[in-house]
Amino acid sequence: MFWKYLSLPQGLIPLLSVILPLFFAGASSGGDFEVVSRLFTIELKTDPMKHPSDVAVSKDGSIYVLDGVNNRVLVFNAAGGFLFKFGKGGSDKGEMNFPLGLCLDGEGRVYVADSGNHRVQMFTSDGRYINQIDLKGVNGNKPPDPTDVAVDEQKKVLYIVDNDNHKIYVYDLKAGSITKSLGEMGMRDDGFRWPFTIAIDKDGYLYIVDVINTRVRVISPDGGFANDIGEWGVDWGQFFRPKGVAVDSKDRVYVTDSYTGTIQVFDKKGKIIAALGDETGKVRKFVTPVRIFVDDSDRIFVVEMFANRVGVYKKKG
C-alpha cells in the first residue's frame, strides 16, 4: 500500500544516484540554509513503528503519530514520552486499514484518513471512536482514497484529499455532509495529479502537495486558485518527489521531498527562503521525510517514514 505513494520508476534510479549528490551543494546555487537543531526523537524501541506516515500536535502539547502499517495512532507527551495508543487493523468502527493522514481540531478531536477503508474516522483525544465519514465513488469514479485531512476551525469544515480521483472534498462538520469538491485530473489551475497532503494557514489558505505535478498548489479561502509553489527539479525551489507541507506562525511554508531527503522553506507566494540545514552549515538530510507539522511554538516535527521515527527540531537562534 505505502509503496504506491513512494515508488520510483526503476529507470530513474541510476540518474538519481548521479544528481542527488549535487543537490544543494552550496548556498551559492540560489538560497540560504536555515540551521535547525534536533530537540529529541520520537520512536519506540519495543513494539516499534512501521512506516509512520503523519504527525500532529494538540493544544496541550500531546503528540499524535499515525503508525500506518501498524494501523494505529500513537500518543506521546510534549517531551516525546509514550502515553497510549489506539486503533488496530480491520474495517469495524475504530479499526483502520493502512491509514495515511490525520489532523486535530481545536477541541482535541482526532480525524484519521483511513485510506484502505475509504473513510475518515473521528476520535476523542483519548482515542474513543466518535463517528465516521464513508466515502463512495460516484459517476464511475474509483472509491475515494483519502490520504490526508485538515480542519478549518472558522468555517467548521473538514478538507479531505482524494488521491485516486484527484480532488479535495469539503465536508461541512455541522451539516454532516460533503458540500462540494475542488479540482480535477490535470495540470492547469484547477488540476491535480495525485494530490497527497494538505495544510491550512490561519487565513484559510490551503496548501496541497500535488505530487506528480511536483508542486504545492495554493487555494484561496473562497476555493479559487491562488498560486503554485515549486516545480520539478533538484535545485533550489524545486522538488523531485514532494510529500509533506506545513505552515508556521509567520506563514512560512515547509515542503518535504521524500527522495532528496530535504526540506525547503518558502513564503506563501512561492518564493524560496531557505533549506533546512545542520550545525555544519550544510543541508540537513532526512530519511524519507514525508509529513511535517509545525506547532504553535514553531517546533518542527518531521516524519521519517523508513527510519520509523519522528524528529523534532527547532530553529537555532
Side-chain angles (χ1 to χ4, degrees):
M1 170 66 77
F2 277 35
W3 293 102
K4 167 186 173 183
Y5 306 101
L6 291 168
S7 60
L8 178 67
Q10 292 297 308
L12 287 179
I13 292 177
L15 174 62
L16 194 58
S17 67
V18 173
I19 61 179
L20 287 191
L22 303 177
F23 190 78
F24 291 159
S28 61
S29 61
D32 295 317
F33 294 132
E34 183 170 284
V35 176
V36 292
S37 298
R38 184 189 291 265
L39 298 178
F40 56 90
T41 300
I42 300 171
E43 55 189 342
L44 294 177
K45 298 300 183 182
T46 60
D47 192 19
M49 304 180 200
K50 187 174 183 181
H51 300 171
S53 58
D54 207 354
V55 61
V57 181
S58 69
K59 296 298 182 182
D60 68 2
S62 298
I63 303 164
Y64 291 73
V65 177
L66 188 58
D67 187 13
V69 172
N70 286 325
N71 296 301
R72 64 188 184 181
V73 176
L74 306 174
V75 186
F76 302 82
N77 64 27
F82 177 71
L83 296 175
F84 63 92
K85 61 186 177 182
F86 61 91
K88 64 178 182 177
S91 58
D92 289 340
K93 294 178 179 179
E95 297 178 344
M96 305 173 193
N97 183 11
F98 290 107
L100 283 165
L102 89 167
C103 71
L104 309 176
D105 67 16
E107 302 300 318
R109 288 180 288 263
V110 185
Y111 301 78
V112 176
D114 189 4
S115 175
N117 285 321
H118 310 291
R119 65 187 181 188
V120 174
Q121 295 197 75
M122 291 170 261
F123 300 87
T124 62
S125 60
D126 59 358
R128 289 178 288 115
Y129 171 87
I130 299 173
N131 200 355
Q132 66 189 45
I133 303 167
D134 293 307
L135 302 170
K136 306 294 184 182
V138 296
N139 299 325
N141 289 334
K142 297 178 181 179
D145 178 18
T147 55
D148 205 9
V149 283
V151 172
D152 186 320
E153 295 282 359
Q154 294 183 339
K155 293 182 178 180
K156 301 300 180 186
V157 300
L158 178 73
Y159 294 98
I160 305 169
V161 179
D162 179 359
N163 182 264
D164 277 354
N165 294 305
H166 320 284
K167 294 182 181 295
I168 310 299
Y169 300 114
V170 183
Y171 181 87
D172 188 313
L173 290 167
K174 289 184 176 180
S177 62
I178 293 173
T179 57
K180 62 179 177 179
S181 65
L182 307 173
E184 61 183 10
M185 174 97 172
M187 300 176 65
R188 298 188 178 184
D189 287 355
D190 58 351
F192 298 109
R193 289 197 297 166
W194 288 274
F196 188 55
T197 52
I198 187 170
I200 184 169
D201 70 17
K202 60 180 179 295
D203 298 316
Y205 282 82
L206 301 177
Y207 301 80
I208 300 154
V209 177
D210 190 10
V211 176
I212 304 303
N213 284 329
T214 56
R215 65 192 177 193
V216 174
R217 171 131 291 179
V218 185
I219 303 296
S220 66
D222 63 4
F225 170 78
N227 60 276
D228 285 329
I229 297 174
E231 61 183 2
W232 188 89
V234 292
D235 206 342
W236 291 89
Q238 299 177 333
F239 310 125
F240 198 89
R241 189 57 66 89
K243 277 298 187 295
V245 61
V247 185
D248 71 11
S249 64
K250 298 180 178 63
D251 279 342
R252 304 189 322 155
V253 184
Y254 297 71
V255 184
T256 69
D257 193 313
S258 62
Y259 281 118
T260 63
T262 58
I263 298 174
Q264 297 184 75
V265 188
F266 300 81
D267 69 18
K268 67 189 302 178
K269 297 297 184 181
K271 180 182 177 181
I272 180 69
I273 297 172
L276 296 190
D278 61 22
E279 290 81 359
T280 69
K282 297 180 180 179
V283 64
R284 182 179 284 276
K285 290 297 186 76
F286 301 86
V287 180
T288 323
V290 285
R291 306 300 177 91
I292 184 169
F293 184 91
V294 182
D295 70 8
D296 291 341
S297 60
D298 285 340
R299 294 188 303 171
I300 304 164
F301 296 74
V302 181
V303 179
E304 295 181 273
M305 178 177 276
F306 289 167
N308 298 313
R309 68 190 182 203
V310 176
V312 185
Y313 299 85
K314 184 74 173 178
K315 181 179 177 181
K316 192 173 182 179

